[in-house]
Amino acid sequence: MITDLFSLKSKIVLRYLIIKDFKTLIRILTFFFVISIFLFGTYFVFFKVFNYLLNLEDIGKGFIYRISSLLFTIIFFLLFTSSIITSISTFFKTPELEFLFSTPLKTHHIFFSKLFENGFYASWASLIISLPLIFSISNVFKVETIFLIKWLFLFILMVFISTSFGILVVFLISDLFKRFSLNFIVTLIFVLLIFFFVFFFIFVKPDIFNLPQNATLQEVTKYLNSLEVEQFKYLPSGIVLQIIFNDINAKSSNLLYFFLSFYLFLTFSFLFVLIRIYRKKYLGFSLFNLSSKKERSKIFEKRVFSKNLEIFLIVKDMVIFFRDPSQWGQSLIFVILLFIYSFSIIRSPIYFKTPFYTYILSFANLGFSSYIMATLSVRFIYPLISLEGKTFSIIKSSIRMENYFNSKLIFNFLIILFLGEFLIVLTNIFLKMDLLIIMLSSLITFIFSFGITIINTGFGAILPDFNETNPSKIASGFGGIVSAIVSLIYIGISISILSTPVKNYFEKSFRKIPFNFSEFYYAIIFITLLTFFIFVIIYNYALIRLKRYNF
Amino acid sequence: MGKEIILEVKNLTKRYGKKTAVNNISFKLSGGDIFGFIGPNGAGKTTTIKCIGGLLEYDGGDVLINGKSNKGFDQALKRSLGYVPDTPFLYDKLTGREFLYFVGRLYGMDKKSLEKKIDEYSKKLEFSDYMDIRSEEYSHGMKQRIIIASSFIHSPDIFLIDEPMVGLDPKSSKIVKDLFKEFSFSNRILFISTHTLSLAEEICNKIGIMDKGNLVYFGSIDNLKESLKKSNLEELFLEITKNDN
Ligand SMILES: Nc1ncnc2c1ncn2[C@@H]1O[C@H](COP(=O)(O)OP(=O)(O)OP(=O)(O)O)[C@@H](O)[C@H]1O
Ligand SMILES: [Mg+2]
């Protein structure tokens, strides 16, 4: 019976690819085109950077290892957290479950099919970064194909382990939610977070801060090599990465395989327990049904009759957002990610004081902050229009689409701008960048925020899904993937335009040669034009689409 | 055959948080019964049906099917139940026929009898025209007919049907009603929750009236009419639930 379920599921997936008409054909082709451009682009960037680093003696390999290790850790947390997010809906909330549980299917059949589905939903976003990463490592170090295959297999194991841990957390949380009130739990999470970071900061690695500010390159190298006790080394991601680099260095990884098997054993054991309790958990699941108190929202009622319908619509979006724990729960997860990121940054400046590293780092920082901005927008901004659902037709009859779209655009822009500037200015100060770079990055972030907002709000209007009510499902659907990738391509192009003048600036300021600022101006003008171009196209097309929907 | 089918609900209680949705209700049905479950919105009908169908954990009491509790998972027990939810679920990308195949397969039917049944019900419920297009293109009533067929094809002993008439046009409601009527000649149980009082009045031999989680009446319509001196179910219904505002 389990095979029936799987063959049915694969049939459903294949159905998405069946070409019924010209429009679907275009849709599918665009999809594959965009995805492959993105995969190749990312691969190419990694390959270039790694190749370049490899030419630096002493430090190159260690540096590649550091970058990959940072990325692997981020990927692990992404997998883990997105699994928490998606498994709430795949294991407990989708309407399909009621159907499946009403049939004679055994519980473990349902569980396995959901495990598979959840792994897919939770990992696609990190796959489009990690696959190019692994491929580029294998090509830069010119390893045999068999190693590549092995690494991909190890990576799949890592996906399996990290997403399973996410599922475990959801099962535990659902218990917690049943026993305690929501406020108690939120407070508890915050307190734990604070404790965690205080601990992390003060106790775990206090000597990090003792490295002299003016360390020489040798010291830095020594330091890099001595960074053995990394706090994330024994996460599945750290283990897999170490095995990869041991393979490259032709070292044995017996102990690491042991750890990996231990993780697998652990995962299988708790999955076994989860299967046993899954049915009972599903039948009694009430994560979000706790409050039976009646709420009258003053701000909502006040705004309903205000003259400005645009503002009311935004207030409505916000009220809905804050009443849905899965929504703000996910923002909380992003905050945690940002924390982790900022902490890695705080540790960095000490050993990255030469202009070359500053250059790389300021760039990586801009890239990563924009990546976060893009991910956030796909998750929270892209679904906004789809979330109107069937109500959209009512909204449409009461407000001009231009005003509707503009108000969404402005509001989203302000939020993304605030977040982006906050992140970029803060991290740049930690990195002790000079004023020019800080100003430059915040100007670029301003432009990026605008670009990212128009892409995600625009695709929200161009490729909406009015039938789905779960925002994280909307974001991981077809339109969400397209707008994620378009955002990332946009950022990639802009950053590569910027890379030449910034590099020249650092090189010249290091050698104390006067720098011609017009290079910057050209690059910025170019990016502004690109953004404007994107704006005009997407804005107009989005409005055409918005005006066309009627149901 | 020959064995009698009995559904017994004993002191069933279900709470959502602090709210009691179903409050200590008990009743018993046996083969051949067509049971109409009526009551105002939010009375607890859907909740009761889900508890009986083993789709919701309950806080107190028990549901016995042929003397066996439905608390644990039991494949044979699942096979003997047919459940039609209040909001029809179909896989968008599958056609109606494929969905019926899938369901038949899950209930362990062989190909030949499955095809025969699909053929039979596609004629009865008149969906042969569209059963080979994907269900994302169906209207609500079209979905509803496929779902009803999906629970009929594997001929369960107990049918639990939540609001079968919603979205059906007059002709289809008539067809469905005729399908239901055949039950009084079988030894199976048909459990329908409905707001269509005329349906209950016409085909049901027993009715239950829910109000705010309580089963305020259980028995035959005639007895009820007599005791309250009303001539139709609508008046009765309003009389019994009049304390609501
Ligand atoms: N998931 C849930 N969480 C909290 N309360 C719920 C939930 N589902 C139902 N309820 C409550 O339980 C009570 C009974 O609901 P139920 O859906 O069983 O009513 P019903 O009789 O089927 O109504 P209708 O005729 O509208 O379908 C209602 O008061 C409702 O508010
Ligand atoms: Mg109901």
Side-chain angles (χ1 to χ4, degrees):
Chain A
M1 271 201 292
I2 182 89
T3 47
D4 291 329
L5 197 54
F6 272 108
S7 71
L8 176 91
K9 285 288 160 87
S10 38
K11 201 185 241 167
I12 292 174
V13 171
L14 288 179
R15 281 288 156 84
Y16 279 95
L17 302 180
I18 287 181
I19 294 154
K20 271 193 306 193
D21 46 26
F22 188 63
K23 238 168 97 186
T24 338
L25 179 72
I26 294 288
R27 210 174 142 107
I28 291 171
L29 285 183
T30 326
F31 187 60
F32 279 109
F33 180 68
V34 172
I35 289 241
S36 16
I37 290 221
F38 183 79
L39 287 176
F40 279 111
T42 322
Y43 165 77
F44 189 70
V45 171
F46 279 134
F47 185 77
K48 278 272 170 192
V49 172
F50 287 169
N51 231 347
Y52 187 80
L53 287 172
L54 201 59
N55 292 332
L56 305 172
E57 298 206 359
D58 299 339
I59 200 162
K61 222 176 193 175
F63 207 73
I64 296 179
Y65 177 73
R66 288 272 318 153
I67 293 183
S68 318
S69 140
L70 184 67
L71 284 172
F72 257 64
T73 311
I74 291 173
I75 289 168
F76 170 80
F77 279 106
L78 269 178
L79 284 170
F80 176 63
T81 47
S82 33
S83 172
I84 294 181
I85 294 162
T86 51
S87 58
I88 293 177
S89 107
T90 36
F91 279 90
F92 295 104
K93 291 185 71 176
T94 91
E96 186 200 0
L97 285 168
E98 189 175 282
F99 163 68
L100 292 178
F101 273 101
S102 77
T103 68
L105 273 173
K106 296 208 174 103
T107 311
H108 64 267
H109 296 151
I110 304 177
F111 189 89
F112 280 130
S113 102
K114 290 289 148 189
L115 186 70
F116 199 74
E117 214 175 299
N118 184 56
F120 175 75
Y121 279 131
S123 65
W124 71 261
S126 19
L127 277 185
I128 59 179
I129 294 286
S130 34
L131 288 184
L133 176 65
I134 295 176
F135 273 89
S136 57
I137 293 180
S138 92
N139 271 357
V140 163
F141 291 103
K142 302 193 180 59
V143 297
E144 285 167 40
T145 322
I146 187 79
F147 279 112
L148 178 64
I149 294 170
K150 176 184 156 195
W151 295 350
L152 289 176
F153 176 72
L154 287 177
F155 183 73
I156 291 173
L157 287 186
M158 170 183 146
V159 171
F160 170 66
I161 295 172
S162 13
T163 49
S164 301
F165 271 88
I167 297 169
L168 177 69
V169 168
V170 169
F171 273 72
L172 293 178
I173 287 182
S174 75
D175 247 5
L176 201 73
F177 269 66
K178 259 195 166 161
R179 244 156 252 172
F180 303 102
S181 80
L182 209 59
N183 286 339
F184 175 80
I185 290 161
V186 173
T187 326
L188 186 76
I189 289 176
F190 270 111
V191 171
L192 281 182
L193 265 185
I194 291 169
F195 265 110
F196 173 72
F197 283 112
V198 168
F199 181 76
F200 188 86
F201 220 2
I202 297 176
F203 300 106
V204 176
K205 210 88 187 88
D207 57 320
I208 283 172
F209 303 99
N210 296 338
L211 202 80
Q213 285 278 336
N214 52 358
T216 66
L217 199 61
Q218 258 81 30
E219 283 168 21
V220 173
T221 318
K222 234 169 76 193
Y223 179 75
L224 265 180
N225 292 338
S226 73
L227 266 180
E228 282 298 336
V229 202
E230 279 177 68
Q231 54 278 57
F232 297 127
K233 201 174 159 185
Y234 293 104
L235 289 180
S237 50
I239 291 172
V240 168
L241 190 76
Q242 287 176 74
I243 294 182
I244 291 180
F245 274 82
N246 279 350
D247 282 350
I248 291 171
N249 297 327
K251 278 199 237 163
S252 100
S253 330
N254 288 343
L255 190 67
L256 295 169
Y257 287 121
F258 172 76
F259 279 124
L260 196 62
S261 327
F262 174 71
Y263 267 116
L264 278 175
F265 173 74
L266 201 68
T267 310
F268 280 119
S269 324
F270 71 70
L271 283 182
F272 183 74
V273 176
L274 295 192
I275 289 173
R276 306 238 122 187
I277 59 173
Y278 179 40
R279 182 170 172 272
K280 203 167 153 31
K281 271 270 134 60
Y282 170 75
L283 299 186
F285 188 74
S286 60
L287 189 50
F288 305 128
N289 297 334
L290 272 170
S291 94
S292 49
K293 75 167 191 273
K294 301 179 175 161
E295 336 185 36
R296 276 187 79 158
S297 159
K298 281 215 183 78
I299 174 154
F300 194 84
E301 287 171 18
K302 205 164 117 198
R303 283 292 161 203
V304 173
F305 296 107
S306 69
K307 240 192 216 145
N308 202 331
L309 194 56
E310 287 86 350
I311 292 184
F312 168 62
L313 286 174
I314 285 167
V315 168
K316 178 214 71 179
D317 283 347
M318 288 181 62
V319 167
I320 291 175
F321 178 87
F322 283 109
R323 285 195 189 161
D324 184 351
S326 71
Q327 283 276 66
W328 50 254
Q330 293 182 41
S331 355
L332 200 72
I333 285 162
F334 273 104
V335 171
I336 298 175
L337 265 186
L338 289 187
F339 257 107
I340 292 176
Y341 178 67
S342 311
F343 277 106
S344 350
I345 284 289
I346 294 173
R347 293 181 31 182
S348 305
I350 304 148
Y351 44 89
F352 290 132
K353 249 324 186 187
T354 61
F356 176 73
Y357 300 116
T358 330
Y359 160 68
I360 296 255
L361 204 70
S362 67
F363 242 64
N365 185 33
L366 188 63
F368 187 72
S369 309
S370 333
Y371 175 73
I372 293 242
M373 274 153 61
T375 333
L376 274 172
S377 319
V378 173
R379 176 56 193 78
F380 294 103
I381 290 182
Y382 165 76
L384 278 178
I385 293 179
S386 308
L387 281 177
E388 310 277 13
K390 304 282 181 237
T391 331
F392 183 72
S393 53
I394 302 174
I395 291 175
K396 205 173 158 178
S397 63
S398 56
I399 186 170
R400 285 183 62 216
M401 277 300 108
E402 281 85 355
N403 297 355
Y404 173 73
F405 192 66
N406 289 346
S407 71
K408 283 242 146 77
L409 208 58
I410 293 170
F411 181 70
N412 296 343
F413 172 63
L414 290 179
I415 289 192
I416 288 296
L417 179 70
F418 173 76
L419 228 135
E421 293 291 355
F422 182 76
L423 195 63
I424 203 84
V425 171
L426 195 76
T427 45
N428 269 324
I429 290 175
F430 280 141
L431 289 172
K432 302 204 171 65
M433 291 290 164
D434 52 35
L435 191 66
L436 178 79
I437 292 296
I438 296 187
M439 275 165 46
L440 191 67
S441 342
S442 74
L443 176 65
I444 307 270
T445 306
F446 182 86
I447 303 173
F448 278 3
S449 309
F450 189 71
I452 291 173
T453 312
I454 180 68
I455 290 171
N456 286 288
T457 320
F459 276 103
I462 294 168
L463 299 169
D465 181 355
F466 289 114
N467 295 317
E468 178 62 60
T469 52
N470 178 352
S472 55
K473 274 249 172 88
I474 297 175
S476 56
F478 173 76
I481 295 182
V482 170
S483 52
I485 286 174
V486 172
S487 315
L488 293 178
I489 290 179
Y490 160 74
I491 292 170
I493 293 180
S494 312
I495 287 193
S496 54
I497 292 173
L498 263 177
S499 66
T500 323
V502 175
K503 191 174 159 213
N504 288 343
Y505 168 74
F506 275 112
E507 267 176 13
K508 287 184 176 161
S509 66
F510 182 55
R511 298 201 199 104
K512 306 227 158 36
I513 305 172
F515 172 75
N516 185 359
F517 280 97
S518 58
E519 280 186 45
F520 272 145
Y521 300 143
Y522 290 133
I524 289 176
I525 288 173
F526 201 89
I527 295 174
T528 314
L529 282 179
L530 176 73
T531 311
F532 185 70
F533 178 70
I534 290 176
F535 171 76
V536 172
I537 291 184
I538 295 189
Y539 186 84
N540 286 312
Y541 191 49
L543 276 180
I544 292 175
R545 292 293 298 234
L546 281 180
K547 287 178 184 164
R548 209 178 281 164
Y549 301 125
N550 46 49
F551 38 77
Chain B
M1 295 277 134
K3 86 173 190 276
E4 235 220 314
I5 293 157
I6 291 174
L7 167 67
E8 191 173 4
V9 173
K10 267 185 174 170
N11 307 97
L12 182 70
T13 300
K14 168 72 194 173
R15 289 182 211 99
Y16 291 108
K18 286 186 191 112
K19 186 183 172 72
T20 306
V22 174
N23 185 13
N24 198 15
I25 68 172
S26 305
F27 58 89
K28 188 171 169 182
L29 300 171
S30 50
D33 276 342
I34 302 185
F35 177 60
F37 201 39
I38 59 182
N41 292 136
K45 303 181 294 296
T46 300
T47 309
T48 309
I49 291 192
K50 284 190 182 168
C51 290
I52 297 175
L55 295 165
L56 205 57
E57 196 177 41
Y58 38 88
D59 300 283
D62 211 343
V63 174
L64 304 173
I65 292 166
N66 297 331
K68 213 160 144 194
S69 167
N70 77 347
K71 271 181 187 153
F73 175 80
D74 178 345
Q75 202 164 21
L77 200 141
K78 285 277 177 195
R79 286 207 172 143
S80 65
L81 287 175
Y83 167 68
V84 179
D86 49 355
T87 38
F89 173 82
L90 287 175
Y91 292 96
D92 272 359
K93 298 286 168 199
L94 294 185
T95 66
R97 189 197 295 273
E98 286 165 334
F99 182 73
L100 295 175
Y101 266 92
F102 179 59
V103 172
R105 185 68 188 75
L106 289 184
Y107 281 87
M109 297 177 70
D110 62 72
K111 192 158 187 267
K112 239 178 105 194
S113 56
L114 181 60
E115 274 168 358
K116 222 179 108 214
K117 285 280 186 186
I118 292 180
D119 205 45
E120 179 190 337
Y121 283 104
S122 68
K123 283 194 188 107
K124 272 192 186 159
L125 288 166
E126 299 181 347
F127 55 72
S128 33
D129 279 354
Y130 59 83
M131 75 167 153
D132 289 314
I133 59 177
R134 294 192 198 170
S135 37
E136 58 192 341
E137 293 173 24
Y138 292 177
S139 72
H140 181 87
M142 290 157 93
K143 285 187 188 164
Q144 190 74 13
R145 288 194 237 176
I146 299 278
I147 298 271
I148 291 176
S150 79
S151 79
F152 273 77
I153 50 168
H154 60 90
S155 19
D157 297 335
I158 300 175
F159 288 79
L160 301 167
I161 305 183
D162 204 352
E163 319 247 359
M165 295 308 182
V166 173
L168 293 183
D169 59 31
K171 194 167 161 222
S172 334
S173 340
K174 173 93 172 57
I175 296 169
V176 170
K177 202 168 13 178
D178 291 342
L179 211 58
F180 289 165
K181 273 185 187 164
E182 293 173 15
F183 267 83
S184 46
F185 308 112
S186 73
N187 67 340
R188 295 182 284 179
I189 297 173
L190 180 61
F191 187 125
I192 329 171
S193 139
T194 184
H195 292 298
T196 318
L197 298 179
S198 59
L199 174 80
E201 197 164 5
E202 197 175 325
I203 66 169
C204 297
N205 64 334
K206 284 186 185 153
I207 61 160
I209 302 181
M210 282 291 277
D211 191 20
K212 293 176 187 152
N214 298 305
L215 186 63
V216 289
Y217 177 79
F218 175 80
S220 79
I221 302 181
D222 297 336
N223 288 348
L224 186 64
K225 280 179 186 164
E226 241 164 63
S227 63
L228 286 171
K229 311 229 171 334
K230 293 270 172 2
S231 60
N232 72 35
L233 192 56
E234 189 176 1
E235 281 176 36
L236 273 174
F237 182 84
L238 295 174
E239 171 75 25
I240 287 182
T241 58
K242 75 181 165 203
N243 297 332
D244 294 9
N245 33 6

